[in-house]
Structures are given as structure tokens and as C-alpha cells.
Amino acid sequence: MFKLVAIGLVGVVALGAVPASAQVFQGPYIGAQAGWNRDSVDAPRTDAGIATINDEKDSFIGGAFVGYNQTVTPNIVLGLEGSFNVGASDDIRRNGVSINPDYSFDLSARAGYLIGGKTLIYARGGYENMRAKVRIPSASGVVSNRETFDGWTVGGGVERALLDKVSARLEYRYSDLGSNGQKFDRHQVLAGVGYHF
């Protein structure tokens, strides 16, 4: 009798137990990220005038992110995430004209598929805003201004639970920060580590 009760209790515990790693992708989280950034521009219009640059620049970028995950089915995870990033040696210069990014931030939605309770494959899409210093020579001297470039961003990646509350990710993002026919494209490959509450 006691043996049957013990076996029954073990079975209930086993059925009710959920691996801690499967719960990583549920609730709020924060993290840090860094990686490769490429900005490609083609004569964007600014408040200081047309920046006559047709060039691209590779640079390092890093920052922080914060978000919230909601597991809506055993395998589907939806969420919202915002991030703030700054670059290093990311200014684009040509013939006295320069565009020097200060920082960028974005807000996007994520949708992912959970494999084995530990690996999340996801896509993202949303809004991005970048602030930059722009300098343009003119007949009366150099015109400088702080310019806002904004647009949309999409991407995708994979995130893996390493510990009960820690995950690591690798993702690619594309952003279109141009408007009215101008070109300001951004490509990024970012690696990050997140802490889940």
C-alpha cells in the first residue's frame, strides 16, 4: 500500500515538473549585446542640406536591451523588446561631408518557436531611430546639425537557454532609415546575453 502511494506521488511530481530551462522564455528580461554594423548611405537629405555621400562603413556596435516574453503555447513565444546601441568609429566621411551616428534605439515585436524547451528560433520587426551629427560644407562655411534618421527594422536569430535564468543569442538585423527615396540602410550581426527574471 505504502509502495503504491509513493509510486503515485512520484508520478504526479514527474508529470507536474517543468524543466527550469523551459521557463526562461517567460516574463521580463534584460541583457547586453555587441557585434558588427554596416551603414550604407546615398545622398540622404538632412536639415543641413543634402549629404553628398555614396559610401558605406563597417564598425563595431554595442548596447543593452530589455523586453518581455509570453509563452502562448508550449512552443510559441511572443514578446516585445527595446534596445539602445552606440557605435565606435562609425562616422562616414567624403569630401568634407560627414555623418557621425551618436546612438540608436529600436522597439520591435518578436515571435519565436521553442525547440526542446531550451532553443528559441525567432523573427522580429519594428521601429528604429538613429541620431547623428551631420556636417556639410557650403559657400558660407560648414553647416552642422544633429539629424534624426528613422524607419523600420526586421531580423531574426536564435536564442539558447544556458542556465535557469541566463540565455545567449545570435541574430541578424536589417534597418531602412531612409525616406522620400533617399538611401540609409543598416545591416547588423549581434551577439547577446540575457538575464531573465
Side-chain angles (χ1 to χ4, degrees), residues 28-31 64-68 80-84 106-107 169 197:
Y29 61 90
I30 60 172
F65 57 84
V66 60
Y68 187 91
L80 289 174
E81 183 176 297
S83 67
F84 179 87
D106 60 80
L107 179 63
R169 61 163 67 167
F197 297 95

Side-chain angles (χ1 to χ4, degrees), residues 68-196:
Y68 187 91
N69 287 321
Q70 180 68 45
T71 303
V72 295
T73 75
N75 296 104
I76 303 297
V77 178
L78 302 178
L80 289 174
E81 183 176 297
S83 67
F84 179 87
N85 295 293
V86 295
S89 301
D90 54 355
D91 56 319
I92 303 175
R93 300 177 182 271
R94 177 68 63 88
N95 299 325
V97 180
S98 69
I99 299 176
N100 187 6
D102 289 328
Y103 60 85
S104 64
F105 67 87
D106 60 80
L107 179 63
S108 59
R110 292 204 312 167
Y113 186 81
L114 194 58
I115 300 173
K118 289 187 176 183
T119 303
L120 182 70
I121 299 174
Y122 63 89
R124 73 162 66 246
Y127 169 79
E128 182 169 347
N129 181 292
M130 192 213 32
R131 193 79 166 157
K133 298 186 188 76
V134 177
R135 293 172 56 87
I136 300 175
S138 69
S140 58
V142 176
V143 178
S144 62
N145 193 37
R146 289 186 179 274
E147 186 74 18
T148 297
F149 298 90
D150 61 355
W152 51 270
T153 181
V154 294
V158 59
E159 187 169 1
R160 173 85 174 174
L162 302 179
L163 301 170
D164 289 352
K165 294 182 178 293
V166 178
S167 67
R169 61 163 67 167
L170 180 65
E171 71 172 52
Y172 165 79
R173 295 185 188 184
Y174 168 77
S175 303
D176 185 344
L177 302 176
S179 60
N180 300 321
Q182 58 185 315
K183 177 185 176 182
F184 199 128
D185 295 340
R186 170 167 280 189
H187 299 268
Q188 295 177 337
V189 176
L190 300 171
V193 176
Y195 180 83
H196 302 254

Side-chain angles (χ1 to χ4, degrees), residues 4-18:
L4 290 175
V5 171
I7 292 173
L9 289 175
V10 170
V12 170
V13 171
L15 288 174
V18 177

